């Protein structure tokens, strides 16, 4: 049978077989102690049926064994703690990952590499973490080639797949050992939950990550897990609208005076497009561009009635974030814009109006 489409897979992912009188999406299970005798469910820190349902769902989309975490950072830090040897990190990826390593894993020798390369030899490296497309710069790197080089050097390779989501890119199929993500963003998609996951190609790695979750006590709440599962059902629909909106907004921004450094891997003229089109299954709704100054960004946001200033992305609502305010090493006027699920004509008209206030 041919593989089912993304929409069908999202709608049905992780649902139990139908049993008369039970809900379509099982309700969250809040148990701490369970009546003993079940092979998995004994104590709430070790396992939970609501986690397992979302793990089954995300694992089926990522193509591996998934372990859910209470945030993207909890997921990433569990993977980083497996590192034996040197650690390679993106210099232009999510900055808290670098801060975490500096402050909590100071014994690790770290090599920081920009996502667009050039990439050094991986001799002596234990773990390579890629973030592609990177946040906020939206550069892309070749997962297949880098996974092959990492494996030849005896290293494991992880991909932060947050911006792409399991529908946008399947890192495990491209050779990665771990796909990690902040599901706080597009996967849950409604700006009402913080969650993350690690999906592993090898069940032995998944067992190690699961054990690390149990030992560290870094466990997601059942209600948050359930909310993410509910949100996942519409991921295909949301991504389609977000990508259509990003494409339309890209066109507006590309001819707007004062806008520089415009990036969206989905645009044929973007420097990452050829590689992104080869390794990604579809594009998302996040764009990056620069306005001349922080004050211009403030004016842009004040003049827009649909784009709100918020430091997350991938949700239903269009949002924009001036990344330098959080310490990202980027120009003061760099904006990461996350196109939401508004009607394209409305969003385009709103952004045109907001941009028109900048040249006065
Ligand atoms: N990875 C990327 C690319 C992110 O953008 C973020 C958050 O912005 C994270 C990881 C961390 O995720 P969380 O905020 O869910 O801990």
């Amino acid at each position: 049978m041919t593989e089912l489409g993304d929409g069908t897979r999202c709608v049905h992912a992780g649902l139990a077989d139908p049993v008369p009188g039970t809900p379509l999406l099982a309700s969250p299970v809040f148990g701490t102690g369970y009546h003993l005798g079940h092979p998995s469910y004994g104590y709430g820190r070790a396992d939970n049926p609501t986690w397992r349902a979302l793990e089954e769902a995300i694992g089926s989309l990522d193509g591996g064994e998934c372990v859910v975490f209470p945030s993207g950072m909890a997921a990433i830090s569990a993977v980083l703690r497996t590192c034996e040897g040197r650690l390679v990190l993106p210099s232009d990826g999510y900055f808290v990952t670098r801060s975490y390593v500096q402050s909590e894993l100071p014994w690790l020798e770290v090599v920081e590499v920009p996502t667009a390369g050039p990439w050094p030899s991986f001799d002596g490296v234990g773990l390579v973490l890629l973030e592609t497309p990177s946040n906020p710069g939206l550069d892309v790197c070749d997962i297949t080639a880098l996974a092959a080089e990492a494996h030849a050097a005896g290293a494991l390779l992880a991909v932060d797949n947050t911006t792409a989501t399991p529908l946008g890119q399947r890192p495990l199929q491209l050779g990665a050992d771990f796909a990690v993500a902040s599901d706080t963003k597009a996967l849950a998609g409604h700006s009402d939950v913080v969650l993350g996951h690690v999906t592993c190609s090898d069940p032995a790695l998944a067992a190690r990550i699961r054990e690390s979750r149990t030992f560290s006590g870094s466990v997601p709440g059942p209600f948050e897990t359930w909310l993410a599962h509910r949100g996942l059902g519409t991921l295909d629909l949301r991504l389609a609208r977000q990508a259509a909106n990003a494409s339309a907004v890209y066109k507006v921004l590309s001819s707007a005076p004062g806008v520089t450094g415009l990036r969206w891997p989905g645009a044929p003229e973007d420097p990452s497009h050829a590689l992104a089109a080869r390794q990604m299954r579809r594009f998302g709704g996040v764009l990056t561009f620069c306005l001349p100054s922080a004050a211009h960004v403030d004016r842009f946001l004040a003049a827009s009635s649909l784009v709100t200033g918020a430091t997350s992305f991938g949700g239903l609502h269009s949002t924009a974030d001036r990344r330098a305010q959080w310490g990202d090493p980027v120009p003061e006027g760099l904006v990461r814009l996350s196109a939401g699920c508004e009607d394209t004509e409305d969003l385009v008209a709103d952004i045109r109006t907001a941009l028109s206030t900048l040249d006065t």
Side-chain angles (χ1 to χ4, degrees), residues 71-74 76 94 97 131 135 160 162-163 181-185 194-196 311-313 336:
S71 67
M73 278 316 302
I76 290 169
Y94 182 53
T97 299
E131 191 180 302
N135 167 25
D160 184 330
T162 302
T163 50
S182 167
D183 301 324
T184 313
K185 310 294 185 310
V194 175
L195 210 85
T311 184
S312 192
F313 58 89
R336 185 187 63 209

Side-chain angles (χ1 to χ4, degrees), residues 176-273:
D177 303 285
F178 303 101
V180 299
S182 167
D183 301 324
T184 313
K185 310 294 185 310
L187 190 140
H190 293 70
S191 308
D192 54 10
V193 63
V194 175
L195 210 85
H197 79 267
V198 181
T199 305
C200 308
S201 56
D202 176 356
L205 284 178
R208 193 165 160 199
I209 295 291
R210 206 177 285 286
E211 186 179 75
S212 159
R213 180 180 65 186
T214 305
F215 288 171
S216 67
S218 180
V219 293
F223 184 63
E224 286 75 9
T225 309
W226 178 86
L227 271 179
H229 200 160
R230 186 179 70 158
L232 173 63
T234 55
L235 178 61
D236 171 64
L237 294 171
R238 289 184 282 106
L239 280 186
R241 174 62 69 85
Q242 288 170 343
N245 282 352
S247 172
V249 169
Y250 183 93
K251 286 193 188 86
V252 174
L253 291 171
S254 60
S255 58
V259 170
T260 55
L262 176 60
R263 298 295 306 269
W264 182 55
E269 51 275 56
D270 188 274
S272 296
H273 181 75

